Amino acid sequence: MTGIQPIRLLDEAGDAVVSDENEQWRAIADELSTDDRLAMHGEMLRTRRFDIEAGHLQRQGKLGLWVPSLGQEGAQVGAAWAARPQDTLFPSYREHLIALHRGVDMLQIIDIFRGAAHGGWNPTELPGMRIYSLVIATHALHATGFAMGIGLDGASGTGDPATDEAVMAFYGDGAASQGDASEGLVFAASYDAPIVFFVQNNKWAISVPSTRQSRFPLHERARGFGLESAWVDGNDPLASFAVSRRMLDEARQGRPGYVEADTYRMGAHTTSDDPTRYRSRDEEEAWARRDPIARLAAHLRSLGVDDVALVEQDERAADEAADLRRRTLEAPAAASDDIFDHVYAEPHPLVAEQKAALAAFEASFGSDA
């Protein structure tokens, strides 16, 4: 599935790319109606408005940190739409569109970064959407183990894509350099686990370029572990959908896969980072011209969607972001002892002792606590 160029169905201007090489992918993308494509565009706008508002909240001291996903919405929306309802998704910490698509409330994501939640949401209440993993690449192993369990339970491999389960793990090029990520590939291949590793190569692991992290393309590296792999234009939502859908359906039949989505982090790594110290304005401007939102908008216009519909989507997204700001400013602070309540599923004497010790310490300050 690899080639000299990444798989692409829309060029930077939003025009269809038609070739013999992408015929199979065009056939899969044809599953998406115009309404589907318009909805995907709306999800990207919604995520970007949310993302920008969260950045403002952090700068105004309402969040301790923010991790932007600007520029990576195209890769994420394609993968989100490709996953079937029974699939389980393991995000890292930049998959805001994935989370929102799966029903996570915006404030639940915000609560992680304002220190008001230890996880964000309960994955048993949102089946198929695990919590963010802030420790780099650890969830690659969690996702692989979960997928191995699916296989052992007989919940995949029946040949019915409507019911067979699969797993998708999301991480970046920097995480691909971690040992946990490689170990996940080893176990996935060894046990034919129903999993796809979706790697967003956004070109920078903080200040280290992906070219320094690996002198060999990441999608080719995966083949050395025995996985099927594909290289896709991550700023092309249709290509991301088509490749992810095919790879997931093959994974549910015991053929684990690996997708390298070629994209770009338009913002900083986090709000504690200054990308002007390590990358050029020319590079940023070149990638800005490949903006996945603008690309899909141009494609929609070619399908007859008028600007009124696109503007209405943006207005709804802006309203939702404004509502998020209001809810964030009104949200109460978390109790300082909440951190003890979710360590174990059942009460534990050591944790109870620690919680009591903190309560006694705080009480020692009296009214100043």
Side-chain angles (χ1 to χ4, degrees), residues 4 34 50 80 113 122 130 173 181 230 264 283 294 303 327 355:
I4 297 175
T34 299
F50 158 68
F113 295 96
N122 186 342
R130 312 304 289 188
D173 50 291
Y264 192 74
E283 176 184 304
L303 297 179
R327 291 194 292 146
K355 184 173 182 176

Side-chain angles (χ1 to χ4, degrees), residues 90-110:
F90 282 76
S92 55
Y93 49 74
R94 204 184 298 273
E95 280 69 48
H96 308 318
L97 190 148
I98 301 294
L100 296 176
H101 179 80
R102 280 294 174 114
V104 175
D105 186 277
M106 287 182 177
L107 190 59
Q108 290 177 304
I109 301 175
I110 290 295

Side-chain angles (χ1 to χ4, degrees), residues 112-130:
I112 300 171
F113 295 96
R114 73 184 188 94
H118 306 289
W121 54 90
N122 186 342
T124 64
E125 296 173 359
L126 280 174
M129 185 64 203
R130 312 304 289 188

Side-chain angles (χ1 to χ4, degrees), residues 18 31 44 56 96 118 168 185 215 232 275 278 288 291 325:
V18 179
E31 297 176 21
M44 289 197 291
H56 293 334
H96 308 318
H118 306 289
M168 183 170 268
L185 302 185
R215 303 208 174 190
V232 63
Y278 55 82
D291 189 328
R325 162 172 284 278

Side-chain angles (χ1 to χ4, degrees), residues 314-360:
D314 192 43
E315 290 174 346
R316 286 194 296 272
D319 288 344
E320 191 171 3
D323 181 63
L324 169 70
R325 162 172 284 278
R326 176 190 60 78
R327 291 194 292 146
T328 301
L329 297 179
E330 293 176 355
S336 59
D337 62 358
D338 278 358
I339 193 171
F340 299 104
D341 294 337
H342 305 290
V343 179
Y344 296 104
E346 302 295 334
H348 190 285
L350 179 59
V351 174
E353 179 183 341
Q354 292 173 337
K355 184 173 182 176
L358 175 64

Side-chain angles (χ1 to χ4, degrees), residues 84 86-87 156-158 161 164-166 194 248-254:
R84 299 185 186 274
Q86 70 271 21
D87 294 339
S156 63
T158 71
D164 282 343
E165 298 180 23
L248 279 166
D249 284 350
E250 290 189 354
R252 45 185 110 250
Q253 304 314 315

Side-chain angles (χ1 to χ4, degrees), residues 1 10 61 75 100 106 111 138 154 168 186-187 201 215 221 252 259 306 338-339 347-348 352 357 359 362-363:
M1 292 186 182
L10 297 176
L100 296 176
M106 287 182 177
D111 279 348
T138 54
M168 183 170 268
V186 170
F187 277 89
N201 186 344
R215 303 208 174 190
R221 180 195 294 178
R252 45 185 110 250
V259 176
D306 60 33
D338 278 358
I339 193 171
H348 190 285
E362 290 183 337

Side-chain angles (χ1 to χ4, degrees), residues 33-186:
S33 66
T34 299
D35 286 343
D36 289 331
R37 298 172 193 215
L38 181 60
M40 292 170 72
H41 179 264
E43 286 203 350
M44 289 197 291
L45 284 174
R46 179 186 185 223
T47 303
R48 184 165 293 187
R49 285 284 190 176
F50 158 68
D51 206 333
I52 292 171
E53 189 61 65
H56 293 334
L57 287 165
Q58 193 282 329
R59 292 307 191 202
Q60 293 160 4
K62 304 305 179 183
L63 309 182
L65 184 76
W66 181 245
V67 182
S69 65
L70 300 175
Q72 298 181 218
E73 299 94 347
Q76 292 186 22
V77 78
W81 278 69
R84 299 185 186 274
Q86 70 271 21
D87 294 339
T88 300
L89 310 182
F90 282 76
S92 55
Y93 49 74
R94 204 184 298 273
E95 280 69 48
H96 308 318
L97 190 148
I98 301 294
L100 296 176
H101 179 80
R102 280 294 174 114
V104 175
D105 186 277
M106 287 182 177
L107 190 59
Q108 290 177 304
I109 301 175
I110 290 295
D111 279 348
I112 300 171
F113 295 96
R114 73 184 188 94
H118 306 289
W121 54 90
N122 186 342
T124 64
E125 296 173 359
L126 280 174
M129 185 64 203
R130 312 304 289 188
I131 62 174
Y132 277 9
S133 176
L134 302 182
V135 181
I136 307 299
T138 54
H139 65 298
L141 286 174
H142 305 157
T144 303
F146 193 93
M148 289 166 60
I150 289 174
L152 294 171
D153 287 343
S156 63
T158 71
D160 185 354
T163 58
D164 282 343
E165 298 180 23
V167 171
M168 183 170 268
F170 297 86
Y171 53 84
D173 50 291
S177 297
Q178 293 287 106
D180 291 21
S182 292
E183 290 162 11
L185 302 185
V186 170

